[in-house]
């Protein structure tokens, strides 16, 4: 405390009080310098660079912890275009009392000044669009998948394991680095089911079907009626599916630079460049996902993409 007062002045002293509570040993003892007068500047000549950095860190943190908080003045700036379609909100911070940040800077002060009156018009000089990415949720492991199934009421505890095993057996998913990832085949099948049998793969379908079955049990509905209704709908769906070809844009680029299209033929999945006609086979268990009718081999959040030698390159659209 005396050190802070001597060095920075009375105002910077924190409200910290050294309280001794009877016989209770102080349990949360932190690392701190044994002599605050040994400042990092003085100590610098006595130690190597790493030791100095570490000491400075400890010293500054300790001193800062004994000082007053810092005070900021904040200016909120609200910008709107005339139509009201676009709005921007910004905050300018100006430190008006340094407090502990005299020693340990935590918040960067805004470097720009902004002096405009309310309602003033501002000319736009340049528009820059920056893409920000938030971290996607981690992929499922078997354990987290079971948890999710429980949460969503998919299956019963007795069927969780078989269901997951079936996905693996049919190569709809595979394991990579202990995480479960969807394969090309799995993603295509899933996309297909959602598109053409959306009602059946809908998570609520099972629940609704259970209700109907209950109605039959109670004699409120004839089972033939239910079957007929279901079958007519299903038959229409099936007929609509006939002759559908897989033809989907992908995130892979051909050597000529054009995007490649995902197709399915006699020998399985392959990519075709519509520009130059090159084709390339793709294993059905390659990790991939379908989003908005486009197949992505470059799964975000995967760090093992390699350098493109196996075709799974890092190109993004
Ligand atoms: Zn090409």
């Amino acid at each position: 405390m005396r050190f802070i007062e001597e060095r920075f002045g009375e105002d910077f002293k924190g409200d910290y009080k050294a309280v001794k509570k009877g016989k209770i040993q102080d349990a949360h003892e932190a690392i701190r310098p044994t002599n605050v007068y040994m400042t990092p500047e003085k100590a610098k000549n006595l130690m190597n660079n790493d030791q100095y950095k570490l000491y400075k860190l400890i010293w500054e943190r300790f001193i800062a912890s004994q000082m007053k908080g810092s005070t900021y003045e904040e200016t909120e700036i609200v910008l709107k275009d005339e139509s009201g379609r676009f709005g921007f909100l910004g905050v300018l911070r100006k430190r008006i009392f340094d407090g502990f940040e005299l020693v340990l800077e935590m918040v960067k002060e805004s470097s720009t000044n902004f002096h405009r009156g309310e309602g003033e018009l501002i000319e736009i000089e340049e528009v820059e669009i920056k893409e920000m990415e938030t971290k996607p949720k981690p992929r499922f492991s078997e354990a987290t998948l079971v948890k999710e199934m429980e949460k969503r009421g998919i299956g019963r505890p007795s069927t969780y394991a078989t269901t997951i095993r079936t996905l693996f057996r049919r190569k709809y998913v595979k394991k990579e680095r202990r995480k479960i990832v969807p394969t090309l085949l799995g993603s295509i099948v899933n996309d297909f089911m959602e598109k053409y049998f959306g009602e059946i793969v809908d998570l609520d379908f099972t629940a609704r079907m259970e209700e109907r079955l209950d109605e039959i049990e109670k004699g409120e509905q004839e089972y033939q009626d239910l079957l007929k209704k279901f079958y007519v709908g299903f038959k229409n769906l099936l007929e609509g599916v006939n002759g559908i070809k897989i033809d989907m844009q992908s995130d892979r680029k051909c050597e000529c630079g054009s995007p490649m299209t995902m197709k399915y033929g006699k020998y399985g999945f392959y990519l075709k460049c519509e520009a130059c006609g090159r084709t390339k086979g793709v294993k059905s268990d390659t990790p991939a996902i379908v989003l908005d009718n486009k197949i992505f081999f470059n799964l975000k959040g995967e760090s093992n993409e390699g350098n493109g030698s196996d075709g799974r390159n890092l190109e993004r659209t």
Side-chain angles (χ1 to χ4, degrees):
M1 282 296 150
R2 213 173 60 226
F3 175 83
I4 293 169
E5 201 177 326
E6 283 166 19
R7 177 136 178 180
F8 309 110
E10 174 95 35
D11 287 348
F12 287 86
K13 267 164 57 179
D15 306 321
Y16 178 86
K17 284 186 198 78
V19 196
K20 278 267 170 260
K21 286 174 253 153
K23 280 182 194 162
I24 303 161
Q25 219 186 350
D26 202 356
H28 44 269
E29 195 53 70
I31 299 174
R32 61 186 192 193
T34 49
N35 176 4
V36 289
Y37 289 94
M38 179 55 84
T39 59
E41 303 92 84
K42 275 192 219 164
K44 195 169 184 176
N45 302 320
L46 307 169
M47 35 178 102
N48 70 32
N49 201 33
D50 283 347
Q51 290 168 337
Y52 164 69
K53 276 192 210 151
L54 182 62
Y55 182 71
K56 187 167 180 282
L57 196 71
I58 295 166
W59 188 89
E60 285 179 348
R61 176 64 75 94
F62 171 70
I63 296 294
S65 74
Q66 309 298 305
M67 290 171 78
K68 267 237 176 77
S70 47
T71 317
Y72 283 87
E73 184 186 87
E74 283 191 347
T75 314
E76 214 175 68
I77 301 162
V78 185
L79 301 180
K80 271 188 204 137
D81 75 326
E82 278 166 301
S83 67
R85 209 153 77 88
F86 300 105
F88 297 93
L89 179 71
V91 177
L92 288 185
R93 285 194 186 87
K94 194 170 161 14
R95 199 185 296 148
I96 51 177
F97 176 68
D98 285 324
F100 75 96
E101 293 199 70
L102 199 62
V103 195
L104 195 68
E105 190 169 75
M106 300 292 280
V107 187
K108 277 264 171 282
E109 243 186 312
S110 310
S111 53
T112 42
N113 277 310
F114 193 85
H115 297 291
R116 292 294 166 106
E118 214 179 311
E120 229 178 288
L121 278 180
I122 295 166
E123 284 284 312
I124 297 168
E125 277 178 15
E126 198 186 349
V127 177
E128 193 184 348
I129 296 170
K130 278 188 187 161
E131 200 175 307
M132 308 281 265
E133 218 176 283
T134 43
K135 239 186 150 162
K137 279 196 175 179
R139 298 192 182 288
F140 285 120
S141 65
E142 266 135 322
T144 56
L145 188 57
V146 166
K147 241 187 220 155
E148 189 70 18
M149 290 170 83
E150 266 171 36
K151 206 173 95 193
R152 291 176 179 247
I154 304 172
R156 316 251 48 218
S158 56
T159 60
Y160 293 150
T162 346
T163 309
I164 296 175
R165 221 179 300 135
T166 307
L167 294 180
F168 276 106
R169 207 185 52 237
R170 294 192 187 161
K171 297 202 163 81
Y172 291 164
V173 296
K174 74 193 273 192
K175 236 190 227 182
E176 272 202 348
R177 301 187 158 199
R178 309 215 314 274
K179 296 289 178 202
I180 301 173
V181 294
T183 64
L184 174 61
L185 179 66
S187 291
I188 296 265
V189 168
N190 181 61
D191 183 61
F192 179 84
M193 293 301 284
E194 277 180 353
K195 258 186 217 150
Y196 301 104
F197 298 94
E199 204 196 320
I200 293 169
V201 294
D202 187 81
L203 283 176
D204 296 328
F205 174 79
T206 327
R208 279 201 305 269
M209 191 51 111
E210 292 285 344
E211 271 173 39
R212 307 274 148 75
L213 294 175
D214 283 347
E215 284 167 19
I216 291 171
E217 196 181 324
K218 285 184 230 152
E220 290 163 14
Q221 196 180 160
E222 291 291 321
Y223 79 91
Q224 289 94 336
D225 289 344
L226 179 72
L227 274 179
K228 207 186 282 169
K229 240 186 255 162
F230 173 77
Y231 182 72
V232 169
F234 190 67
K235 197 165 148 252
N236 284 339
L237 283 174
L238 271 184
E239 276 162 7
V241 160
N242 252 335
I244 279 175
K245 282 203 184 96
I246 290 168
D247 198 342
M248 204 179 267
Q249 271 213 321
S250 83
D251 65 341
R252 275 205 197 160
K253 290 244 164 73
C254 172
E255 285 155 58
C256 78
S258 303
M260 297 190 94
T261 313
M262 183 82 231
K263 289 175 185 285
Y264 186 80
K266 238 193 291 179
Y267 305 108
F269 292 105
Y270 66 98
L271 288 160
K272 187 175 181 194
C273 171
E274 305 291 355
C276 72
R278 257 196 205 93
T279 57
K280 195 176 177 183
V282 188
K283 278 199 202 145
S284 63
D285 70 343
T286 315
I289 50 163
V290 175
L291 275 177
D292 283 338
N293 269 324
K294 187 170 170 180
I295 188 111
F296 290 84
F297 291 99
N298 174 34
L299 303 184
K300 287 186 184 177
E302 295 295 300
S303 50
N304 56 342
E305 291 303 298
N307 49 21
S309 57
D310 58 352
R312 297 172 58 197
N313 55 25
L314 293 164
E315 277 155 352
R316 263 176 206 168
T317 43

